[in-house]
Amino acid sequence: NRYVKWALIEAANAIVLNHRRKPDRHVSQLYLRLKKQKGHAKAVGALVRHLAESIWHMLKKQETYRERNLTTKTACSTKV
């Protein structure tokens, strides 16, 4: 559905615009990691898919959204 696709793209763009305000959120960390690896456009597309899959799981299991329990230290750590 083109309207659902539009809404998910808008949501992904909102994450991109606000990722500095909430850097500890899972979707912000996902965007930053993918942007570094693949670039902005691919990262936004991956966010859209991630949001769509999250919505599908929430509807299927009839649950509310629960943020992953990640810390910025463990999620963004890199080996030197």
Side-chain angles (χ1 to χ4, degrees):
N1 186 336
R2 66 180 175 164
Y3 299 110
V4 174
K5 182 179 178 181
W6 172 82
L8 289 172
I9 291 171
E10 289 296 316
N13 283 322
I15 291 167
V16 170
L17 290 174
N18 294 307
H19 76 275
R20 288 190 182 105
R21 291 182 192 173
K22 301 281 186 171
D24 55 329
R25 291 208 170 167
H26 171 67
V27 289
S28 296
Q29 294 173 4
L30 176 66
Y31 169 73
L32 290 174
R33 187 180 78 233
L34 292 173
K35 181 183 172 197
K36 188 161 86 171
Q37 294 173 353
K38 306 276 185 182
H40 170 75
K42 295 270 185 180
V44 170
L47 279 179
V48 169
R49 180 175 174 111
H50 178 77
L51 292 173
E53 289 176 354
S54 297
I55 292 168
W56 184 82
H57 284 288
M58 289 178 355
L59 292 173
K60 181 181 177 190
K61 296 180 181 182
Q62 296 181 349
E63 295 179 350
T64 58
Y65 179 74
R66 289 178 284 125
E67 182 73 27
R68 285 189 181 184
N69 293 329
L70 295 176
T71 60
T72 54
K73 184 177 180 182
T74 58
C76 294
S77 64
T78 57
K79 294 180 181 179
V80 178

